[in-house]
Amino acid sequence: MIKVKRNHWLAAATPRSFTGLMGLYESNYRRFERLAPELDLPFEHATSLGEDATLHLRVIERCRYTTTVHLTYWFGDGDTARADPDLTLRLYRDAQLAEAIYCDARSRYASLAGVPDIDDAVLDSQWPRNLLLNKWLAYCLAQGHSFGGANRPRMAP
C-alpha cells in the first residue's frame, strides 16, 4: 500500500498494476497541468526559471488528442551540456493522462529508458519511469517553476 496524502485514489492502487499505473498517469497529468496551465501549449519552446535551475519545455508533436513534449534541465554549456532528467512525455488531453514515454539512456536514470508494448514486463519498467516523472513534477512545482503566463515565444494565430 502506498501512502499518499493528496492522491487518495493512488493509495488504494497496487503498485506496478495497470490500475496503479493509470492512477500515476492521471497524477502526472494534474501536476503537468499545474506546471503548464495552458494545455494547448501555445508555444514551441519555453523556459522557466526556478530556485534551482532553468526548466526547458519543448513541444515535439501535436496531434488531435495528444501532445508530445520534451522536459528537462540542461547542465553545463556547449559540448558539455547535459540534459538531466531527460524525459519525453505524451499528454493524452482527452483522457487527461500524462505518460513518460522515454527517458534518455545517457541520463542517470538510464534503467528507466526504452519501453516496448504493454505487458507485465512493461508495467514493471513503466512504473519507475512514471513515478520519477510524478516526483520530478512535484519538485519542479515546489521550486516555483511555471510555464503559465511566462514571457515566451508564442505561436502565430
Side-chain angles (χ1 to χ4, degrees):
M1 183 74 77
I2 300 172
K3 292 186 179 182
V4 178
K5 292 179 183 177
R6 292 184 188 157
N7 300 329
H8 63 283
W9 49 263
L10 190 55
T14 304
R16 298 181 189 267
S17 68
F18 182 76
T19 304
L21 188 61
M22 292 302 103
L24 195 53
Y25 287 1
E26 182 181 351
S27 178
N28 289 345
Y29 186 87
R30 296 289 170 239
R31 288 182 175 177
F32 186 85
E33 185 176 43
R34 287 179 48 211
L35 190 64
E38 299 172 278
L39 285 173
D40 61 338
L41 302 174
F43 51 84
E44 295 302 316
H45 181 265
T47 57
S48 171
L49 299 173
E51 295 177 16
D52 55 350
T54 301
L55 184 62
H56 296 263
L57 173 66
R58 181 175 52 91
V59 177
I60 296 172
E61 180 182 53
R62 297 173 193 274
C63 297
R64 184 173 183 178
Y65 299 108
T66 64
T67 304
T68 305
V69 301
H70 179 244
L71 188 65
T72 192
Y73 286 135
W74 282 99
F75 296 101
D77 295 316
D79 293 341
T80 63
R82 180 174 164 213
D84 200 5
D86 190 5
L87 291 169
T88 301
L89 291 70
R90 178 150 305 129
L91 304 169
Y92 300 89
R93 293 181 316 279
D94 56 337
Q96 297 187 346
L97 302 173
E99 172 189 15
I101 60 171
Y102 181 76
C103 183
D104 193 306
R106 292 172 296 191
S107 172
R108 62 183 170 182
Y109 305 107
S111 63
L112 305 179
V115 174
D117 298 323
I118 292 184
D119 58 22
D120 288 341
V122 173
L123 284 175
D124 286 343
S125 61
Q126 282 184 323
W127 184 266
R129 182 177 50 226
N130 282 280
L131 190 57
L132 165 71
L133 170 61
N134 194 270
K135 290 178 182 264
W136 189 46
L137 288 172
Y139 174 81
C140 289
L141 290 166
Q143 295 302 308
H145 286 293
S146 175
F147 296 107
N151 290 329
R152 61 191 182 282
R154 304 292 277 196
M155 287 180 30

